[in-house]
Amino acid sequence: MSPFEELQRNLRTRIVGRRIHAYEMVISTSDVVRELADRGAEEGTVVFAEEQTCGRGRLGRTWWSPRGRGIWMSVLLRPPVHRGTVPMTTIIGALATADAVRAVTRLPAMIRWPNDVLVGGRKVAGVLVEARTVSRTSSEGSQDRGHVGGDRELVLGIGIDVNVPQAEMPEDIAGFATSLSEAAGEDIDRLKLARTLLIELDRWYRIKLAQNIEAINQRWRELSATFGRTIVLEENGKRYEGTVIDVDARLGLALRLSSGNIRNFRGEHVTVITHG
Ligand code: BTN
């Protein structure tokens, strides 16, 4: 039995965690959420796994997910059209993760736009949002009668390296990542962190549904590891260097380039190479 099964008890969230499925081993929790969605799962359905054999990271990377050491989870979201963009959902995923880590561990978790959560400059967690449009016909409950269209479905996946000894990390990860237990100097209660994460996700998702963009922007600025700093990033194979002058949930990251021009990056195809 997976310890995460216990989370359903006394969880007072409104959307995220209405239903929780916990598995020992899956290929990817995001795949399981999609399968459940195909079978009619309700919004807020969450999947946890003790281990993923082929976890996915951003930009086609794999996500190492060792057994019993982390939080590997995905949640199904069905936001109304225009309130469910991938970049904004990525941001609220990162905010919820950073806030949960701060609350449970007291570690000063920060966000490196668009999807990394850092402690002491090293990555401890990542967020991956995948979207798809599910076709439906007018007879399947569309309010827009006579219209044949699609509903937007998002799968928000979060991976947190909780109790991973640095020495156990594969070499290619150990160079830039760490875990919460390494940073805190003690093991972290995964269940407590998972419960807090669900509560924070529910809170931030409802803030987003209410279109309270300023609340999102403000927290993002507070937690941004790059705000006011010079960074180098890569978008679609092209490199840009500049100073981060703003972060906005709708517009993305605003960079003042060395030419003096200001350019916005929305994040879907961007990697931050360095920040100093
Ligand atoms: C990244 O930083 O590249 C994003 C990593 C997201 C990993 C999580 S773990 C749970 C969920 N299932 C997956 O296959 N990926 C996400």
Side-chain angles (χ1 to χ4, degrees):
M1 193 182 114
S2 161
F4 293 113
E5 271 173 33
E6 214 180 280
L7 287 172
Q8 191 88 68
R9 251 187 283 145
N10 299 325
L11 184 72
R12 285 193 206 91
T13 52
R14 284 191 230 161
I15 303 173
V16 175
R18 276 172 180 160
R19 271 240 172 248
I20 297 174
H21 300 262
Y23 298 88
E24 284 292 324
M25 191 201 282
V26 297
I27 294 173
S28 155
T29 52
S30 295
D31 289 349
V32 180
V33 165
R34 273 199 222 174
E35 285 158 24
L36 292 170
D38 288 343
R39 287 190 263 135
E42 60 182 331
E43 186 183 38
T45 296
V46 168
V47 170
F48 283 96
E50 284 292 273
E51 178 179 3
Q52 297 185 117
T53 53
C54 200
R56 278 194 298 282
R58 271 180 87 232
L59 308 170
R61 300 183 188 122
T62 53
W63 181 262
W64 181 63
S65 320
R67 175 171 200 76
R69 299 277 198 203
I71 291 178
W72 328 122
M73 65 85 71
S74 301
V75 55
L76 173 65
L77 301 173
R78 292 202 182 92
V81 189
H82 305 310
R83 295 191 189 184
T85 62
V86 169
M88 220 194 276
T89 308
T90 306
I91 290 162
I92 61 144
L95 285 181
T97 306
D99 276 342
V101 166
R102 282 173 170 252
V104 173
T105 67
R106 305 279 155 206
L107 290 167
M110 305 291 280
I111 294 169
R112 182 175 56 200
W113 178 89
N115 76 316
D116 295 341
V117 176
L118 313 178
V119 171
R122 284 176 169 263
K123 181 162 172 165
V124 291
V127 178
L128 176 69
V129 179
E130 294 166 307
R132 64 174 181 168
T133 303
V134 186
S135 59
R136 57 167 163 70
T137 62
S138 55
S139 61
E140 287 176 329
S142 166
Q143 291 177 335
D144 183 5
R145 291 197 180 282
H147 169 78
V148 178
D151 287 321
R152 199 155 164 77
E153 212 167 70
L154 301 180
V155 179
L156 164 58
I158 296 176
I160 311 178
D161 290 326
V162 185
N163 294 323
V164 189
Q166 195 84 27
E168 281 183 21
M169 284 190 177
E171 232 170 78
D172 55 330
I173 301 174
F176 63 83
T178 189
S179 68
L180 298 179
S181 60
E182 285 286 340
E186 60 183 6
D187 270 9
I188 307 298
D189 182 338
R190 279 191 310 148
L191 269 192
K192 191 170 170 194
L193 182 59
R195 178 179 294 274
T196 310
L197 178 64
L198 294 180
I199 293 168
E200 287 297 332
L201 276 174
D202 189 63
R203 184 170 75 85
W204 280 110
Y205 184 54
R206 286 186 291 106
I207 288 172
K208 183 174 86 98
L209 289 180
Q211 296 284 66
N212 191 349
I213 307 300
E214 207 27 60
I216 297 173
N217 287 349
Q218 196 184 318
R219 188 64 179 143
W220 195 12
R221 285 180 197 120
E222 286 165 7
L223 296 185
S224 173
T226 47
F227 196 50
R229 301 171 90 164
T230 299
I231 65 168
V232 177
L233 56 77
E234 196 170 281
E235 184 185 54
N236 297 325
K238 200 168 165 205
R239 282 194 179 204
Y240 300 86
E241 181 174 345
T243 307
V244 178
I245 56 167
D246 201 7
V247 279
D248 181 284
R250 268 183 294 218
L251 300 174
L253 192 82
L255 215 60
R256 189 191 304 282
L257 304 173
S258 39
S259 62
N261 290 344
I262 293 168
R263 195 177 193 287
N264 280 90
F265 297 85
R266 269 174 34 99
E268 275 151 301
H269 308 287
V270 181
T271 310
V272 175
I273 311 283
T274 59
H275 61 106

